[in-house]
């Protein structure tokens, strides 16, 4: 069963439009140039199997990764992402890996982080089968959580994974400072060679912020059975909106 807080987060991603800013290749009379444009998250996911998502602290990178994982596990993607409904998500929170002294887990340990309740129930080699078939969605969250001295080793393991299983989908999330191509040249060259789309998660507009607040409280209220608690949530929402208008 999906935890309430995850359901609430993925509901927010569905209801509040978010955008990514990235580069699009344009060719005109033999001249190729890259144009910076804004795209919907759905649009980027629909057209690309390899994406690097950059965003500041609290911008929603982890929420986006969890939203994709929940939708993939439930096969509940809507248009234009119906093609993602036959996928198997593997969410790798690098923060947890660091706590355990692991820079990047081996495929056979992916379930330990993405689905610990069933990790011991799957047959041997199952994760590799998902990766080889192209059904896997590998969600690497928090490159910036790795100490600098561990990032090169992590990248080597990630490079090997993509080389062995090129048909799978990959989404890597990080704060911008940790994945600057000019400072980490190996990283910059690799994502270019492997045709990763490099995108920046845009900040929410004031309208989106208000929508987020409303839908967050609405989703929370739906998960609460006690009527008194629901009234308290509604009252907090009212005063929150009032304070934003003053």
């Amino acid at each position: 069963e999906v935890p309430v807080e995850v359901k609430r987060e993925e509901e927010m991603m569905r209801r509040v439009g978010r955008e990514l800013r990235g580069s699009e290749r344009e060719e005109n009379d033999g001249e190729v140039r890259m144009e910076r444009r804004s795209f919907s998250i759905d649009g980027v996911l629909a057209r690309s199997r390899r994406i690097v998502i950059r965003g500041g602290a609290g911008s929603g990178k982890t929420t986006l990764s969890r939203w994709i994982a929940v939708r993939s596990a439930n096969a509940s993607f809507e248009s234009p992402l119906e093609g993602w409904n036959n996928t198997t998500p593997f969410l790798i929170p690098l923060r947890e890996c660091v706590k355990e002294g692991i820079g990047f887990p081996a495929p056979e340990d992916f379930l330990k982080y993405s689905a610990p309740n069933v990790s011991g129930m799957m047959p041997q080699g199952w994760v590799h089968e998902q990766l080889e078939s192209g059904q896997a969605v590998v969600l690497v969250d928090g490159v910036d959580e790795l100490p600098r001295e561990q990032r090169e080793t992590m990248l080597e393991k990630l490079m090997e994974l993509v080389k062995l299983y090129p048909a799978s989908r990959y989404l890597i999330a990080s704060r911008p400072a940790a994945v600057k191509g000019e400072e980490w040249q190996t990283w910059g060259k690799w994502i270019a060679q492997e045709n990763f789309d490099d995108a920046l998660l845009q900040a929410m507009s004031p309208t989106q912020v208000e929508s987020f607040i409303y839908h967050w409280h609405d989703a929370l209220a739906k998960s609460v059975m006690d009527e008194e608690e629901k009234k308290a949530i509604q009252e907090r929402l009212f005063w929150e909106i009032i304070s934003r208008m003053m």
Side-chain angles (χ1 to χ4, degrees), residues 1-5 7-12 14-15 71 211 213-234 236-237:
E1 184 178 351
V2 182
V4 170
E5 63 271 16
K7 288 181 179 178
R8 191 158 59 241
E9 285 183 356
E10 68 101 6
E11 179 74 3
M12 296 309 97
R14 185 177 69 83
R15 293 197 183 195
R71 286 290 182 187
S211 179
I213 292 172
Y214 173 78
H215 289 301
W216 190 92
H217 282 81
D218 182 55
L220 177 60
K222 290 177 181 177
S223 69
V224 175
M225 298 302 294
D226 184 75
E227 288 299 324
E228 290 299 319
E229 193 170 352
K230 286 184 179 180
K231 290 179 181 178
I233 291 170
Q234 291 170 350
R236 286 199 300 270
L237 172 60

Side-chain angles (χ1 to χ4, degrees), residues 178-194:
V179 290
K180 287 184 177 179
E182 60 271 22
E183 295 182 9
W184 190 3
Q185 294 186 4
T186 309
W187 171 272
K189 291 178 181 178
W190 179 69
I191 64 170
Q193 290 171 355
E194 296 296 337

Side-chain angles (χ1 to χ4, degrees), residues 18-22 37-41 44-45 51 53-54 64 199-202:
R18 297 298 304 277
E19 290 186 337
L20 297 169
R21 185 161 180 80
R37 294 180 179 175
S38 292
F39 306 92
S40 69
I41 287 175
V44 173
L45 294 177
I51 311 167
I53 302 290
R54 295 176 292 112
L64 174 59
L200 179 67
L201 188 59
Q202 298 286 78

